[in-house]
Amino acid sequence: MSKVFIPEGYRAPLSVYELQRAIEFIKSNFQTNLSNALNLRRVSAPLFVEEASGLNDNLNGYERPVSFDIPDVHAEAQVVHSLAKWKRLALKRYQFNVGKGLFTDMNAIRRDEEVDNLHSVYVDQWDWERTMRPEERNLNFLKATVETIYEAMKAVEEEVYELYPHITPILPERITFLQAEELLQEFPALTPKEREQAAARKYGALFLIGIGGELSDGQRHDGRAPDYDDWSTPTEGGYKGLNGDIIVWNPVLESAFELSSMGIRVDAEALERQLAICGCPERREMEFHRLLLEGRLPLSIGGGIGQSRLCMFYLRCAHIGEVQVSIWPERMIAECAAHGIYLK
């Protein structure tokens, strides 16, 4: 069964050559807007980390990292899944003061990803992390940061429109905030992904809060590793979680479309709690976790924003392979080509 969706009557919005110019324009403008809005400085980032460091993102816990040995340093290395933990360590190493942060180009390989219109084994995103004060570890600060990022997204959408007037802006004026538990109560008969679909269609753009913790039905909305986002701290209204996803409605694919995952990071108390919930207390002995538990890492907020996802959304592309280079099943390449969609 094909995993690709071909929108009826779809035509690529730009020529293959012009698409490359547009991608460069979007990436350059958005990272400038993001860094100015959040007071971020660009840094270099690793493609791989040492396995024993505990710095790799464990995602949902079952994805296999690409691993290899480095004989000269007698170590096993892993290609990163993301830089969620590395960035926080970098804030300390690079001596970022409170209120300042970093961003970087993150390139990852997720070998177990099921490829389709939205997913590739190659992941490219802007990873960012910013130091914060203890009194900012609250829902209001999280929401204010989300609104700042959303304004940067809207600004670039307008800039794309100025360059390509046939690609009209569609993001709503404001982003809607919803708790994962509120979404469950509103759509109790739907699966988590179906709930996201219904909410994205209804609101156009939303930030879904509290992803990773158990909901009232005994299930999680989605998985989150225990050692970066804080998804268990109680917040207002009896809810839990200081993290979430920015999700918009994609009219080309007629589906919910995640652009960013982000959140306030765990402090020592939340880390202890979430390691216990997830049954992996042994991680306490890893370097990153030990530094955090000893209070030697800064409090921070951070996340990732998909570069190919953002380009795909702004340019109204039907497949992520139109805006990035990866490896695709031969059948998918042929099926897409038959409808004028050329995968790189």
Side-chain angles (χ1 to χ4, degrees), residues 137-139 141-143 146 177-181 207-215 220-233 235 239-246 260-266 274 300-303:
R137 294 195 81 258
N138 59 65
L139 205 52
F141 183 76
L142 174 64
K143 289 180 177 180
V146 170
F177 292 94
L178 286 175
Q179 291 279 350
E181 181 63 37
F207 185 70
L208 188 60
I209 304 169
I211 298 178
E214 186 176 292
L215 302 178
R220 296 180 175 198
H221 181 85
D222 198 1
R224 286 293 186 275
D227 40 17
Y228 55 94
D229 280 354
D230 184 337
W231 40 258
S232 64
T233 291
T235 59
Y239 300 113
K240 292 182 179 180
L242 291 168
N243 71 333
D245 291 344
I246 296 177
S260 175
S261 177
M262 59 171 286
I264 291 173
R265 306 310 197 184
V266 290
Q274 291 178 185
S300 67
I301 182 171

Side-chain angles (χ1 to χ4, degrees), residues 146-312:
V146 170
E147 288 174 338
T148 298
I149 294 171
Y150 185 68
E151 286 304 312
M153 289 179 173
K154 280 181 56 62
V156 174
E157 186 184 44
E158 291 292 338
E159 291 166 357
V160 171
Y161 174 56
E162 290 177 10
L163 192 60
Y164 305 106
H166 64 291
I167 305 178
T168 55
I170 57 174
L171 288 173
E173 188 63 28
R174 299 189 65 82
I175 189 167
T176 297
F177 292 94
L178 286 175
Q179 291 279 350
E181 181 63 37
E182 291 176 324
L183 201 60
L184 170 62
Q185 298 305 320
E186 186 174 357
F187 304 105
L190 303 182
T191 67
K193 289 304 176 187
E194 289 170 343
R195 295 198 289 269
E196 288 185 7
Q197 184 88 347
R201 186 191 299 271
K202 180 177 179 180
Y203 298 107
L206 68 141
F207 185 70
L208 188 60
I209 304 169
I211 298 178
E214 186 176 292
L215 302 178
S216 60
D217 64 352
Q219 304 296 315
R220 296 180 175 198
H221 181 85
D222 198 1
R224 286 293 186 275
D227 40 17
Y228 55 94
D229 280 354
D230 184 337
W231 40 258
S232 64
T233 291
T235 59
E236 62 187 39
Y239 300 113
K240 292 182 179 180
L242 291 168
N243 71 333
D245 291 344
I246 296 177
I247 301 168
V248 299
W249 178 252
N250 186 319
V252 175
L253 298 176
E254 297 183 338
S255 70
F257 195 74
E258 180 190 323
L259 292 176
S260 175
S261 177
M262 59 171 286
I264 291 173
R265 306 310 197 184
V266 290
D267 57 10
E269 180 182 347
L271 177 62
E272 290 274 25
R273 181 170 58 245
Q274 291 178 185
L275 290 178
I277 292 171
C278 294
C280 50
E282 69 280 359
R283 292 191 195 176
R284 299 175 83 259
E285 303 306 316
M286 292 179 167
E287 178 191 10
F288 171 85
H289 303 72
R290 192 169 61 252
L291 289 172
L292 179 52
L293 292 170
E294 293 171 357
R296 295 164 60 191
L297 293 181
L299 298 176
S300 67
I301 182 171
I305 301 169
Q307 294 186 14
S308 292
R309 285 282 185 100
L310 206 61
C311 290
M312 185 182 170

Side-chain angles (χ1 to χ4, degrees), residues 98-150:
V98 173
K100 296 182 178 181
L102 60 84
F103 79 97
T104 189
D105 285 310
M106 192 284 298
N107 298 290
I109 299 173
R110 297 184 182 174
R111 63 192 289 185
D112 292 317
E113 197 74 72
E114 293 188 13
V115 299
D116 55 23
N117 291 67
L118 305 183
H119 299 92
S120 167
V121 296
Y122 169 64
V123 179
D124 58 338
Q125 63 185 35
W126 291 285
D127 255 330
W128 65 274
E129 199 82 11
R130 185 171 180 250
T131 55
M132 59 188 296
R133 297 177 176 86
E135 59 268 24
E136 292 174 325
R137 294 195 81 258
N138 59 65
L139 205 52
N140 287 336
F141 183 76
L142 174 64
K143 289 180 177 180
T145 306
V146 170
E147 288 174 338
T148 298
I149 294 171
Y150 185 68

